Amino acid sequence: MPTSSVSRRQRRGCTEVKSYSKHWVCLFPQHGPGRKHQRPITLHDWQREIVAGWPGWFVRGLMHSDGYRGVNHVRRALPGGVRCYSYPRYLFKNESADILALCGEALDLLGVAWRRNKRNEISVARREAVELLDAHVGPKY
């Protein structure tokens, strides 16, 4: 986009880069009119190659935009008394089934165990899976 204006702004932990052009849809055809969850979201072959080469960066972007890392607190009433425990987990929520599928594919490439815990949500909760994802995602600013 050599003729487009570009601006940079320092943010905590990163640099925000913006560029405005009517031609971004030529490079990123998944951006278009209408709601994401009501139209197909697919990657072109060249985009799939990039995701396959750097799935951690792709998952990082997804988690930073529509993801959550927090602590799940569980309280169970058992015959021997109440048991409480907590564990860290990631949740990725999106109304688009296509975007959820792309997230799942990238997590598979990383070897991260995940499951669909709701119709529109992916959960990563196993200890080793959360640790692996921590190495790729980093803090969300």
Side-chain angles (χ1 to χ4, degrees):
M1 310 303 280
T3 59
S4 298
S5 64
V6 177
S7 65
R8 301 185 298 181
R9 195 161 117 182
Q10 280 303 122
R11 295 283 193 178
R12 194 171 100 188
C14 68
T15 302
E16 180 181 274
V17 179
K18 290 184 180 180
S19 177
Y20 300 94
S21 174
K22 293 179 183 177
H23 300 291
W24 280 116
V25 293
C26 300
L27 290 173
F28 301 101
Q30 65 270 27
H31 294 283
R35 296 178 176 198
K36 288 185 300 192
H37 65 281
Q38 294 177 334
R39 58 184 161 87
I41 303 291
T42 58
L43 299 180
H44 285 270
D45 291 340
W46 66 271
Q47 292 170 315
R48 286 197 168 278
E49 285 179 33
I50 292 170
V51 172
W54 294 277
W57 287 103
F58 184 70
V59 170
R60 176 185 166 97
L62 291 173
M63 289 297 176
H64 281 220
S65 65
D66 294 324
Y68 162 81
R69 187 197 189 279
V71 177
N72 192 33
H73 302 283
V74 180
R75 181 181 168 97
R76 295 267 191 248
L78 300 171
V82 175
R83 179 175 176 229
C84 298
Y85 60 96
S86 302
Y87 60 92
R89 71 174 176 179
Y90 281 89
L91 297 174
F92 177 75
K93 190 172 190 172
N94 201 293
E95 292 300 320
S96 169
D98 292 341
I99 292 174
L100 288 167
L102 290 170
C103 181
E105 290 171 21
L107 290 170
D108 288 342
L109 289 172
L110 290 173
V112 172
W114 61 276
R115 69 183 187 90
R116 292 282 285 271
N117 61 325
K118 293 181 183 172
R119 165 192 67 76
N120 60 347
E121 194 170 66
I122 287 176
S123 172
V124 175
R126 292 187 177 182
R127 179 178 291 124
E128 54 282 345
V130 170
E131 289 173 1
L132 184 54
L133 207 48
D134 281 343
H136 290 282
V137 173
K140 184 175 175 178
Y141 295 104

